[in-house]
Amino acid sequence: MARVALIGNPNTGKTTLFNALCGARARTSNYPGTTTTIRTGALDRHQHIEVVDVPGLYDLHHHTPEMQVARGVLDAAGRGGADVVVIALDAANLTRNLVLAGEVLAYHRPVVVALNMMDLAQRRGLALDADALSKRLGVPVIPLVAREHHGIERLRDAIAAAAADGLVADSPADLPAGHLSLEKLTEWAERVAKAVTDESPRTAQHDSWTERLDALFTHPVAGMLAFIVIMCGLFWALFTLAAIPMDLIEAVFGQFASLLQSALPAGPVRDLIANGIVGGIAGTVVFLPQICLLFFLISLLEDTGYLARAAFVMDGVLSRFGLPGHAFVPLLTSHACAIPGIMSARLIPDQRDRLATILVAPFMSCSARLPVYVLLISLLFANNPLFAGIAFAACYLLGASAGLFTAWIFKRTVLKGHSRPMVLELPSYRRPSFTNALLTARDQGLAFLRTAGTVIVAICIVMWWLSAYPKVGATPEADALRAHAANSVSQQQTDALLSEADALDARAAQAGSFAGQLGHVIQPVFNPLGFDWQLTVGIVTSFLAREVFVSTMSVLEGGVGTGGDDGVVNRIRQMRRDDGSPVFTPATAASALIFFVLAMQCLPTLTVTRKETGSVKYAAMQFGYMSGLAYIAALITHVVLQTAGVR
Amino acid sequence: MPRSPKPVPLTNLRAGARVKLHEARVDHECREWLRALGLTDASDLRLCKHGDPCIIQVRSTRIGLSKAVASRVFVLDGPTASEP
């Protein structure tokens, strides 16, 4: 098995090149010991050759995580090391790209140069002589337009030949030996580029388009407008468009579970399979549409070159809180769901900034919190739509503010250090590649299922088990109702009585389950917030998914569902504590609302945080400070309202 | 026309100015990033857009700089540059 490292500057079409060489069978994984992702795949028609796509980097001088991965791949001999290096160069940007090439040639490995984006160079009026470049560098140079698969065959053959020969060319004669400064390397690169390039007068014309688009996208007003439109589109797609496959997934799995219920004999095994396992898998797969759609759209946006400009639009606002402009997409996405939001933090070049963004992303009010907001705000402001609307907006504002404030604190304390300065290459604008976007979406979806997905299935099964066991028998009241129903004359009355009996049993089952018992046990902790044991059980069960809170409260209420949200809200409004007083006093509803805005109640999110940060420590930190902040804020709310006479 | 000997920050220049890098009075990390992108010592650059972000072109690389960074990049302006 031969190993080929694909190295190059960012924005050289390396992803397209890699996909053309072996994309269909690529795997995304973390480079050992880092959270930097690399892609590996088998070279088409040469299955014994493995290609590793090393993250784009500008040179081997500059100490960055990408440089460490590249060095790791280049330095290591044998296992993990590279037998052949393919250097991807951007033909339209040759000088800077050749700096990295010069450094790589010094490693004395068999090298093949992929001179990509020849079409872009041609449009710019640049005529490159690949043969001349090959003579200057002393290695094969294959001109390509990777996006159209021009030259891919030749490149594949050249790689196979290099792997078979193992021949190492001498360093270029005019490249001085020894450790070279960037200045010396740049001088050499400039000489080589000049020698092999013929510039035509058309060069200036192409750049004017770039100038005009940049003027638009970075304009204080027009740029912000364009940004808002594009981000609204992105958010709409995630919130609305993704809902279609998500609903479909829930429906299909629901049907499947019903099928199993009728097909398998009653008992714990059937419950485990139909409710636990199938429910667990459904609860994991349901995240896929948003993840895949998000990465598809981000890939398109990044490919066009727009994202680099967009980062500057937001940088002015976000940098006040210690976050980079790049953090906008993850934070916006987290308003739909924090899981794809946290995964998309990969966009952020600086590791510390990325960490800060991941840690605060769950503060953004996600769509799972919506049913809870609707319920609690309806309880608070039943006949006052104006106040209800204001309360809604205030919840979103509270979440976002808490997130930004926390990021500001973290950057000054736990994550103190130099952030990457706001200096970005602005790549050429170009037509995005749908193939790349589809492959990225697929890779990210599969990576999610393989890693976080397996943990989330386990969590779902455990949470199901906590609510389902221990089994409690039918309650005496329910049995009485069933006896009554047996003697009833009208079908309607029979149905109503049986429903009531089932609801009473469901309530007893929830209360008597491990989750219910846990609620009873930890209730004293939540007493100062005004929560009784039923509300506490609701909090416990919503650790799997926040929206479960509404159904748990509904079950605990024990009444018969009359259908529709109004029915649920009214029933829950009438819930009583053990002493007969209402569960949801205004003070309690308010403190519960504040708690839900700020608390970390999503084990799947914690799983993804752990995976993306590579450490349990950060997931624990996220859980700790969010829960602490939520508790304190809810406590203050409850105490203040009670003191003010609102009971 | 002789070049003005006094280095000026990028933020003082108009779009289109062709200048030579004199000194980047930024921290080490920032200087390394600028060099990695091609802004090596004494390199020639063209100011494409001033303001926030400031956009410069070094050889064929377009680089966006925040205003904060641009105000600390000092260049020697040539005859074509002018004061705002």
Side-chain angles (χ1 to χ4, degrees):
Chain A
M1 161 91 31
R3 218 156 191 247
V4 175
L6 177 57
I7 283 185
N9 281 186
N11 308 307
T12 48
K14 208 157 57 64
T15 306
T16 314
L17 186 56
F18 178 82
N19 286 340
L21 287 173
C22 51
R25 272 179 298 284
R27 236 172 37 96
T28 303
S29 57
N30 282 3
Y31 186 74
T34 71
T35 50
T36 311
T37 45
I38 55 169
R39 294 172 79 205
T40 43
L43 188 63
D44 277 344
R45 287 174 229 152
H46 299 274
Q47 298 293 304
H48 62 287
I49 298 179
E50 186 186 65
V51 184
V52 179
D53 186 11
V54 176
L57 74 164
Y58 291 106
D59 59 68
L60 292 168
H61 271 70
H62 189 193
H63 214 79
T64 56
E66 292 79 24
M67 181 272 250
Q68 286 178 308
V69 172
R71 274 247 163 98
V73 171
L74 285 172
D75 283 336
R79 189 161 143 25
D83 301 303
V84 175
V85 182
V86 175
I87 308 175
L89 301 180
D90 174 2
N93 208 338
L94 200 55
T95 307
R96 200 198 66 217
N97 278 243
L98 279 173
V99 168
L100 179 62
E103 288 179 306
V104 172
L105 285 167
Y107 273 81
H108 300 295
R109 292 264 195 289
V111 166
V112 175
V113 168
L115 188 59
N116 197 16
M117 303 169 108
M118 292 294 286
D119 56 338
L120 208 67
Q122 195 182 36
R123 254 182 280 140
R124 289 240 185 115
L126 301 166
L128 271 86
D129 187 347
D131 289 329
L133 185 59
S134 177
K135 283 199 182 72
R136 280 300 279 257
L137 299 179
V139 295
V141 171
I142 317 288
L144 301 163
V145 181
R147 155 179 307 218
E148 276 144 44
H149 285 233
H150 289 164
I152 294 292
E153 282 293 335
R154 276 187 66 196
L155 180 62
R156 217 180 273 134
D157 292 338
I159 294 173
D165 291 340
L167 286 174
V168 180
D170 294 325
S171 270
D174 55 349
L175 182 66
H179 178 78
L180 289 173
S181 68
L182 271 182
E183 278 72 17
K184 282 277 179 300
L185 277 163
T186 308
E187 269 171 34
W188 169 80
E190 238 169 352
R191 283 199 303 271
V192 175
K194 257 207 181 81
V196 305
T197 313
D198 254 330
E199 258 191 64
S200 91
R202 278 160 61 206
T203 312
Q205 202 185 18
H206 173 85
D207 291 334
S208 80
W209 262 116
T210 311
E211 304 276 352
R212 272 184 247 161
L213 285 171
D214 274 352
L216 170 69
F217 289 132
T218 57
H219 188 270
V221 177
M224 182 56 90
L225 280 173
F227 180 80
I228 289 173
V229 167
I230 292 171
M231 288 304 145
C232 280
L234 181 72
F235 190 67
W236 171 83
L238 286 175
F239 211 82
T240 309
L241 213 61
I244 302 167
M246 283 168 84
D247 289 341
L248 196 67
I249 286 172
E250 282 179 359
V252 165
F253 275 90
Q255 289 284 58
F256 187 51
S258 304
L259 203 70
L260 286 173
Q261 290 274 19
S262 44
L264 295 172
V269 174
R270 182 183 77 174
D271 282 347
L272 174 66
I273 296 177
N275 297 328
I277 294 179
V278 172
I281 296 174
T284 307
V285 170
V286 81
F287 287 115
L288 274 184
Q290 278 181 329
I291 290 172
C292 292
L293 190 57
L294 176 67
F295 278 96
F296 178 80
L297 293 172
I298 286 180
S299 176
L300 287 181
L301 273 180
E302 204 173 7
D303 239 8
T304 58
Y306 174 71
L307 272 192
R309 281 80 178 175
F312 279 104
V313 174
M314 266 338 230
D315 192 62
V317 173
L318 291 174
S319 57
R320 282 177 230 268
F321 302 98
L323 290 173
H326 286 97
F328 191 80
V329 169
L331 292 180
L332 177 70
T333 306
S334 298
H335 281 94
C337 174
I339 287 179
I342 288 172
M343 287 173 75
S344 72
R346 298 213 191 128
L347 279 176
I348 300 173
D350 181 83
Q351 288 294 84
R352 215 171 287 110
D353 285 344
R354 187 176 161 229
L355 208 48
T357 306
I358 289 176
L359 288 175
V360 306
F363 271 121
M364 307 302 129
S365 292
C366 63
S367 49
R369 284 178 173 94
L370 269 181
V372 180
Y373 288 0
V374 168
L375 173 66
L376 293 172
I377 290 176
S378 302
L379 291 173
L380 275 172
F381 299 116
N383 297 313
N384 202 332
L386 175 65
F387 274 34
I390 293 174
F392 225 89
C395 285
Y396 275 87
L397 206 61
L398 177 63
S401 308
L404 291 175
F405 177 66
T406 305
W408 184 79
I409 293 208
F410 274 170
K411 288 306 285 300
R412 275 172 164 65
T413 55
V414 184
L415 297 173
K416 195 151 59 159
H418 285 288
S419 264
R420 204 188 120 149
M422 198 54 187
V423 171
L424 283 180
E425 179 185 0
L426 299 178
S428 314
Y429 289 103
R430 36 176 176 229
R431 209 177 19 96
S433 161
F434 277 83
T435 314
N436 283 358
L438 281 171
L439 286 173
T440 304
R442 183 207 66 176
D443 279 353
Q444 293 296 339
L446 286 178
F448 167 76
L449 284 180
R450 230 185 11 248
T451 54
T454 47
V455 180
I456 292 171
V457 170
I459 290 172
C460 287
I461 294 176
V462 168
M463 292 299 293
W464 160 79
W465 183 83
L466 284 176
S467 282
Y469 288 89
K471 292 282 183 217
V472 300
T475 58
E477 296 89 343
D479 279 342
L481 282 171
R482 287 196 182 96
H484 203 75
N487 295 331
S488 159
V489 286
S490 88
Q491 185 60 40
Q492 205 180 12
Q493 198 188 30
T494 308
D495 288 342
L497 287 168
L498 286 176
S499 295
E500 216 183 309
D502 285 341
L504 281 176
D505 276 346
R507 180 176 194 269
Q510 179 69 277
S513 67
F514 286 119
Q517 292 174 36
L518 186 60
H520 270 99
V521 165
I522 65 175
Q523 189 273 332
V525 173
F526 288 94
N527 200 34
L529 275 57
F531 297 1
D532 78 330
W533 72 267
Q534 297 171 100
L535 194 36
T536 310
V537 172
I539 303 276
V540 168
T541 55
S542 59
F543 265 95
L544 172 62
R546 290 177 175 95
E547 61 266 41
V548 168
F549 176 73
V550 179
S551 51
T552 303
M553 297 315 290
S554 181
V555 166
L556 285 174
E557 190 274 329
V560 182
T562 51
D565 289 330
D566 280 344
V568 168
V569 173
N570 284 329
R571 285 194 294 113
I572 290 177
R573 194 195 309 279
Q574 282 147 38
M575 281 177 84
R576 292 273 173 266
R577 299 170 192 242
D578 291 340
D579 64 4
S581 62
V583 172
F584 284 104
T585 61
T588 300
S591 77
L593 185 63
I594 301 288
F595 188 83
F596 268 97
V597 169
L598 299 172
M600 167 38 91
Q601 278 170 287
C602 187
L603 291 174
T605 302
L606 284 172
T607 308
V608 174
T609 297
R610 192 215 72 80
K611 191 225 160 208
E612 293 292 307
T613 58
S615 163
V616 173
K617 171 175 85 172
Y618 292 112
M621 205 157 91
Q622 193 177 56
F623 179 73
Y625 72 73
M626 283 184 81
S627 307
L629 186 64
Y631 188 90
I632 292 170
L635 178 64
I636 292 174
T637 306
H638 193 247
V639 166
V640 164
L641 285 175
Q642 283 212 311
T643 314
V646 178
R647 291 211 170 267
Chain B
M1 252 174 98
R3 274 186 179 237
S4 158
K6 185 171 175 259
V8 293
L10 277 175
T11 41
N12 278 22
L13 302 176
R14 281 234 171 92
R18 287 180 190 276
V19 293
K20 190 184 273 286
L21 176 69
H22 171 72
E23 186 190 5
R25 295 177 199 168
V26 292
D27 63 40
H28 177 76
E29 173 83 19
C30 187
R31 184 73 194 99
E32 286 302 295
W33 272 111
L34 291 170
R35 289 174 77 217
L37 288 171
L39 200 60
T40 46
D41 294 339
S43 50
D44 290 316
L45 62 114
R46 181 174 70 94
L47 185 75
C48 305
K49 176 190 170 286
H50 72 119
D52 199 1
C54 170
I55 301 179
I56 59 174
Q57 182 151 339
V58 181
R59 296 177 199 92
S60 30
T61 306
R62 278 175 86 77
I63 305 172
L65 312 168
S66 64
K67 195 169 181 179
V69 173
S71 64
R72 296 206 281 276
V73 173
F74 286 81
V75 295
L76 290 168
D77 57 0
T80 52
S82 46
E83 297 298 309

